[in-house]
């Protein structure tokens, strides 16, 4: 069982205070480093993103903007309006730009969708990403569908469908793969769900981690965007932060019915993309970038699945099945997740995320992100040392 | 009177189409250049920002982020949350961070304030920045206070006060200096207005151009932030795009009552600043940056006032008084603003903004921004050649 030294306990209380001030999200590494300078952080395993993709993006940005002195244009001038950038996305995902809304990160879109389109009642699966219930309107009834621990927090399709039919919501939210456990709903099951729920106004499918999921050993990309082509009540929300490793750029988009895009644009979201986000979306449609991106995407999936497999061999923890770029682990030796997070941060310089603030999780949970192969090894070594 | 050649007319119709697709805002230079590659644009006098400040920002960014390889951190990781960045702003403006809300550009804050706090009735002065009425809720009654052409579109304080008292709105909006004319309300008049209107729930003062205004020949900064300290119904909205020349970074903040900040943060605005915007706000509080910024701010004000003075000597146009970084000019030789914009763009490579889509302007109006001294000279030469 993990126990903290006196000195570690002092730092742990500072960590708790910073976490408390950050509400239901993790404080950034900047914030922690600034407020607890005595910490040396080696690996940010709280942070869910593909580091190889970040490298690729930085390489392009250096060549395209820094070496050419075009960076100034990107910073100085107003970026293009939403429908122009939607056109860039359209080129990649093969959906008409009228059905694409570009956001300042996916979370801006979550806020917009929850507040503009979700009306009477929403069913949200838990555990989940908290913004979906936090940003719901006060007069929207939020009903939680508890993913079952016995089923590894994976969805049981028929139970879910009968729950939805019983509760008759106007909106449902599915994160696929789900955060914080990484549970994945195969495309055919998702099709079945959507096909059964034609009367629901908004079927919100958050695919922020879909680039890490796979159904074949070629790791081919799958997306609910294809469902949208047949079911106009589907809203697909996509963060670019995780798969492209650019959380600081704030890029996301959503696919939805044209009338919904128009309603959003009529009411705001002017210049909501930064110049760098516009640059990213312009890059996203370039074939040469895309080919290189596919290589780092697949490399990262391979590393991640090796990492999660090795985590499974460590004693005193249970690793939940994941098709995202992280693993939910449960401490089963009586240790608390708070002590685990503190110990990992203070003794090993590894930042992990507690699951203690996630509603719908019962037990002592930690979410650990996969990083580079070398960083994953540091995490594995630390865990083997710890237990 | 301005007349277009046949060839110019062909390009002019393309310009009109792009403008039409941009709604009530100007299409970006990127969009125009991409869609009309035959144009060579030398000066963007549509764009309202201090180019010397952009240079300063880029210089710091190169030293701090590019040469040190810290740029990756800024792009890869999630930025800090709103209240952390509010703390940076607090250091500069001497207002408690609990009263500061940081936005993805001022326009995000305009949308938030108009949709969350403005309820029953808003009085908006026209001509003005269109987002204030475009983003108002459908059930908010918008009443326009027409700034009088005979008074150079400047506000007449007593008339305005009696209009407000007659209409009894819950919210009023004042842009100071105003866009598109640059009309400025001196601090003592603004104090008088606010002091007379204690019963109004929201006195929204947009100071996006305040860094270009002055009341003494030292060009000392003035701000309604000081009013907020005595009148809690004041909301000050501040874009950083214009004065710091960083529209592509999307940075803005607002000062308002703590309960209003809390209401916004409870309902969203998570990670709404990009990593670069966080970097900017961190830079903003550094004394060395601030001292250098004050030099380029004052240099630009000096250039701008010379430029506007020289515009006043050109025949066939009337120049309206401005304490912003642009001048509203009226064509008084029978030319149309559309022909003026096309001619300036096609023949001289100068991009100016028509006033034809601004409600509350009667006549043929153009807004011309001040740029560098050299660019201002190119504009003056073109106008002298044209008329």
């Amino acid at each position: 069982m993990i126990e903290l030294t006196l000195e570690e306990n002092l730092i742990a209380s500072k960590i708790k205070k910073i976490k408390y001030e950050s509400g239901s999200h993790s404080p950034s590494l900047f914030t922690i480093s600034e407020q607890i300078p005595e910490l040396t952080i080696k690996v940010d395993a709280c942070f869910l993103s593909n580091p190889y993709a970040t490298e690729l993006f930085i390489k392009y940005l250096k060549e395209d903007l820094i070496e050419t002195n075009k960076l100034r244009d990107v910073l100085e001038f107003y970026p293009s309006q939403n429908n122009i950038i939607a056109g860039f996305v359209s080129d990649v995902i093969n959906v008409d730009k009228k059905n694409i809304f570009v956001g300042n990160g996916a979370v801006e879109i979550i806020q917009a969708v929850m507040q503009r389109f979700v009306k009477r009642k929403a069913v949200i699966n838990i555990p989940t990403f908290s913004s979906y219930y936090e940003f719901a309107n006060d007069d929207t009834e939020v009903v939680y569908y508890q993913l079952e621990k016995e089923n590894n927090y994976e969805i049981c399709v028929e139970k879910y469908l009968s729950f939805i039919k019983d509760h008759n919501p106007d909106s449902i939210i599915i994160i696929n793969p789900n955060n914080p456990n990484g549970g994945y709903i195969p495309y055919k099951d998702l099709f079945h769900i959507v096909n059964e729920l034609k009367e629901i106004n908004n079927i919100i499918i958050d695919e922020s981690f879909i680039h890490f999921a796979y159904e074949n050993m070629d790791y081919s990309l799958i997306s609910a965007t294809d469902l949208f082509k047949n079911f106009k009540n589907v809203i697909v929300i996509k963060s670019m932060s995780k798969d492209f490793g650019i959380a600081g750029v704030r890029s996301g988009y959503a696919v939805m019915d044209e009338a919904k895009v128009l309603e959003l644009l009529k009411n705001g979201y002017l210049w909501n993309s930064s110049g760098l986000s516009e640059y990213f979306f312009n890059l996203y449609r370039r074939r040469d970038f895309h080919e290189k991106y596919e290589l780092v995407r697949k490399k990262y999936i391979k590393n991640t699945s090796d990492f999660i497999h090795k985590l499974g061999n460590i004693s005193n923890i249970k690793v939940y099945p994941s098709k995202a770029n992280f693993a939910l682990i449960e401490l089963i030796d009586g240790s608390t997740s708070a002590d685990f997070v503190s110990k990992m941060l203070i003794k090993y310089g590894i930042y992990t995320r507690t699951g203690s603030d996630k509603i719908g999780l019962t037990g002592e949970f930690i979410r650990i992100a996969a990083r580079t192969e070398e960083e994953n090894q540091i995490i594995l070594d630390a865990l083997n040392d710890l237990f």
Side-chain angles (χ1 to χ4, degrees), chain A residues 314-326:
Chain A
I314 295 172
S315 54
N316 296 325
I317 60 174
K318 174 181 172 175
V319 179
Y320 284 73
S322 169
K323 278 201 174 165
N325 63 336
F326 50 83

Side-chain angles (χ1 to χ4, degrees), chain A residues 20-37:
Chain A
Y20 175 77
E21 286 167 356
S22 296
S24 52
H25 299 279
S26 306
S28 79
L29 211 50
F30 297 134
T31 306
I32 292 182
S33 303
E34 200 179 77
Q35 298 191 22
I36 317 180

Side-chain angles (χ1 to χ4, degrees), chain A residues 265-276:
Chain A
L265 294 182
K266 182 181 154 309
N267 287 288
Y269 306 100
L270 186 64
W271 303 309
N272 64 336
S273 294
S274 69
L276 269 190

Side-chain angles (χ1 to χ4, degrees), chain A residues 220-340:
Chain A
S220 311
L221 258 180
I222 317 138
S223 172
T225 302
D226 292 331
L227 292 177
F228 168 78
K229 291 171 186 170
N230 293 305
F231 303 97
K232 293 305 168 198
N233 55 346
V234 167
I235 298 175
V236 181
I237 297 181
K238 182 79 193 80
S239 161
M240 314 310 274
S241 297
K242 288 84 179 168
D243 29 24
F244 292 92
I246 53 165
V249 177
R250 313 304 305 125
S251 296
Y253 70 84
V255 172
M256 60 182 82
D257 192 39
E258 182 181 350
K260 289 176 181 160
V261 173
L262 287 174
E263 182 178 336
L264 292 179
L265 294 182
K266 182 181 154 309
N267 287 288
Y269 306 100
L270 186 64
W271 303 309
N272 64 336
S273 294
S274 69
L276 269 190
S277 182
E278 177 170 8
Y279 165 73
F280 166 74
F281 279 118
N282 215 339
L283 184 62
Y284 182 46
R285 64 175 172 167
R286 274 166 56 183
R287 184 179 295 271
D288 57 322
F289 174 78
H290 218 266
E291 283 168 3
K292 293 198 178 95
Y293 168 69
E294 275 296 288
L295 296 178
V296 296
R297 184 177 73 83
K298 291 179 180 180
K299 175 184 177 181
Y300 182 60
I301 295 182
K302 175 76 174 63
N303 283 356
T304 300
S305 83
D306 287 352
F307 175 58
I308 294 176
H309 181 75
K310 285 177 186 162
L311 282 176
N313 295 333
I314 295 172
S315 54
N316 296 325
I317 60 174
K318 174 181 172 175
V319 179
Y320 284 73
S322 169
K323 278 201 174 165
N325 63 336
F326 50 83
L328 183 71
I329 67 173
E330 186 177 5
L331 305 175
I332 50 177
D333 68 342
S335 301
T336 68
S337 60
D339 285 349
F340 178 94

